[in-house]
Structure formats: structure tokens, C-alpha cells
Amino acid sequence: MNLRSLPDRKPFLTAALALVALAALAAVAISAEPRAKELFGARKLPAVAPAQSFGFYSKGCFTGGVALPMDGPTWEVMRPSRNRRWGHPAMIALIEKLSRDAVADGWPGLLVGDVSQPRGGPMMTGHASHQIGLDADIWLTPMPRRPLTMAQRESMSATLMVDEKTHLVKDALWTPQHTRLLKRAASYPEVERILVNPGIKKKLCDTVTGDRSWLRKIRPFWGHDYHFHMRIGCQPGSPFCKAQETTPDDDGCGKPLAWWFTEEPWRPNKNPDAPKARDLLTMANLPKQCLDVVNAPDAPSLEAVTYHGGSAAAVAVAEPQPTGPAETISSGNAAMPAAESAFAPTPKIGIPLPRPRPGN
């Protein structure tokens, strides 16, 4: 349009400038809105409500969380300063059960990494998932014979099981006990998938004999070379929890695994400077229930919501909503890995976190 041809350009220009100003104000308002990670990261205790997960593993929150005790006869919590030892009661109970069963299988005890924040939600650093209380990281380093001090739990390095150049397991480090630990974790019906480094998946595919049905739950993903990521499904009483698609029925040792040993998965990310999802999420991006979750009253005390073999004090103030069918989130082709990493880079401060695709 030629503005010179208009009989009166002043009203047109005034309106155009007004629209530009409104757009600028809207952008400022959006940028000024608090990030969800800041709101959830500031809460030190869970919300007072029945246990319930809202949303998806990488976009949600939960209520009724309980804490895994810092110490147990068969486990120790690592990186306690992060305050990420919280989860849905079913998740915390399963960690405790796995620790006992693993010891019976010959594993010395679990070193437990991140589970979730007290109310879930996006984290300030690290994971994209772990938001609805149904994910947990278990180190592949066995629990030492002597109890670790708090300082040691913050600084102790995990054992990296995979060679970064070959993407294969370091044979000098891998033991039959590692295999038994993963098999035990996969044996529980509520566990839907276990994420491991592709090299670990290959080691299992190459060495497991007899019953191999449990291998379908072992899924390769970037990082996960010092721990495995155990995920359980949506729990009863959580009708707004969005389930992940089921894993294929085969053992996963064919073409999908072979893809990980080509050049393509390890090419640098084409847009490494793109902001992470957790850095952009506001409360408007999360399930609507999460606003109530983050603003709900605190549990009465840490001890009241610490799990002790099912004896965590009840803090519910309302009945959970009726259970309904969980909505399933599909990642597209179930046989192939996601196109981008769900995890942030590992900080260079000696604190291991899941490592992503190179350059992300």
C-alpha cells in the first residue's frame, strides 16, 4: 500500500503505532511472567492434598508427595541439597522395595539420585522430565560399605560405565550384578520403561540369555551412562495424568538399537543455543491444576510426609477425583528415539546429571 495515496495518513499511522506499542507491551508482560521452574523450585514441602499426578512426565506437577528418607538399611540419597527426593507414594515405595530386592540379589544397596521436587514441576537445572513424581534415577555405583557423609553425597563422583568415544560399556566395570539390578527393576509391573545409555542396552542384548522379555522395557537414550532412569505409569486416582505410549513387544535389540551405533545420533545439535523447554514454561503452559498445586499450603512438617514403609502421615484434605482413563502421549515412531534430548547439559562442577545429545 502506498501511504502517500491515502487522503489522510495521520489516523492510519496513529493506529499502526498504537498496535506496535500494544504488541511491545504484551511481549514485556509475557517476558515478565514468572517461570514455572522458579515457582516450583521455591517450594520446599509438598502440597497438602491426596497423591495425584497432573499432566505428562515433562510437563506437569503432583500433589501428596512423600520424601524418601535420607538413609535406609539398603539405600542412601545422593545430592541432598537439591531437595529432589520426593515422589508419588507409589514411586517412593517402589524405590524402597527395589533396594531390598536388589540387596537380596547381591547388589550392596542403592545410591538414589533425583526423583522429583516436592510438588514436581519444571526444575531449575537438569531434567526435562521428573515433573509428576513418577521418575527416579538410580546410580549404577553400588552403595559403599561405610555410610557416606553429607559432604561425600554432594561431591562423590559417579562411575561412568560407557566409553564416550566408542559408546560401548567398559567391560572392566560391568558385572553380572549390574544386569541383575536392571532385570529386577524391570520385573515390577508398574515400571513401564527404564532409560539407559545405548552402550548399556547393547551390553544387555549381547549377554542376556534365557528370559529376555524384560529387555523390552530397557530403552536406550542419550546420557544415562552412570545411572538408569526408572519410570512408572500413571497411578490410580490420577485421571489427569497423561500416560506415555507403551513400549514395543520385542526386545529392542534390532534396528532401533543399531541406529545408536551410527553417526547420526552423535552429530552436534543444529541449534545448540536454543533455550530449554524448562526455561520457557510458565504456569499457563502447565495443566491448569498446577497453579493450585504450587499455591497450596505446605505439609505440616518434613517428618509428616517422609515415607517410612507406608507410614507417612496422611496430609490429604480432600478426596481425590475419580479415576478415569489416562490420556496417552505419543512420541511418534515408538521404535525410534526422540529427535531431541530431554535433558540439559552436565554442569562442570562435579555434579552428574543426565547428559544430552552432543551440542544440546
Side-chain angles (χ1 to χ4, degrees), residues 12-183:
F12 177 86
L13 292 174
T14 301
L17 290 173
L19 289 173
V20 171
L22 287 173
L25 288 173
V28 170
I30 291 173
S31 63
E33 186 175 355
R35 298 298 181 230
K37 68 176 185 178
E38 297 168 354
L39 298 176
F40 278 98
R43 303 315 300 255
K44 305 305 180 186
L45 289 170
V48 180
Q52 189 172 176
S53 299
F54 302 98
F56 191 57
Y57 298 88
S58 57
K59 187 182 287 188
C61 59
F62 70 104
T63 56
V66 294
L68 182 70
M70 290 293 300
D71 297 281
T74 50
W75 78 85
E76 290 181 285
V77 171
M78 303 301 288
R79 309 303 190 245
S81 63
R82 295 181 190 171
N83 196 31
R84 296 177 182 179
R85 57 188 174 110
W86 300 86
H88 188 288
M91 181 80 255
I92 300 303
L94 185 67
I95 294 173
E96 192 268 345
K97 177 176 173 57
L98 172 62
S99 73
R100 288 186 284 108
D101 291 346
V103 166
D105 292 338
W107 187 256
L110 301 184
L111 296 182
V112 181
D114 291 349
V115 186
S116 293
Q117 299 179 130
R119 305 179 187 212
M123 295 182 179
M124 292 295 292
T125 60
H127 315 280
S129 58
H130 291 252
Q131 293 193 28
I132 57 176
L134 306 178
D135 296 288
D137 289 344
I138 308 296
W139 284 26
L140 290 166
T141 304
M143 188 173 81
R145 293 181 178 179
R146 293 185 178 180
L148 297 170
T149 65
M150 291 297 111
Q152 288 172 328
R153 297 184 197 205
E154 296 290 353
S155 61
M156 174 180 162
S157 296
T159 303
L160 301 183
M161 306 297 295
V162 177
D163 187 300
E164 295 182 0
K165 295 182 179 180
T166 65
H167 309 298
L168 297 174
V169 163
K170 299 175 183 178
D171 288 327
L173 299 178
W174 192 261
T175 68
Q177 287 81 4
H178 286 94
T179 300
R180 286 200 293 269
L181 175 62
L182 288 167
K183 182 177 182 180

Side-chain angles (χ1 to χ4, degrees), residues 235-279:
Q235 296 298 297
S238 295
F240 301 104
C241 178
K242 297 182 178 180
Q244 197 167 17
E245 64 188 359
T246 58
T247 57
D249 290 334
D250 62 82
D251 62 12
C253 294
K255 290 183 179 179
L257 179 60
W259 179 83
W260 288 99
F261 295 92
T262 65
E263 293 183 1
E264 206 285 327
W266 312 106
R267 291 172 183 163
N269 192 304
K270 294 180 179 179
N271 190 15
D273 297 324
K276 307 295 184 292
R278 65 163 183 272
D279 297 328

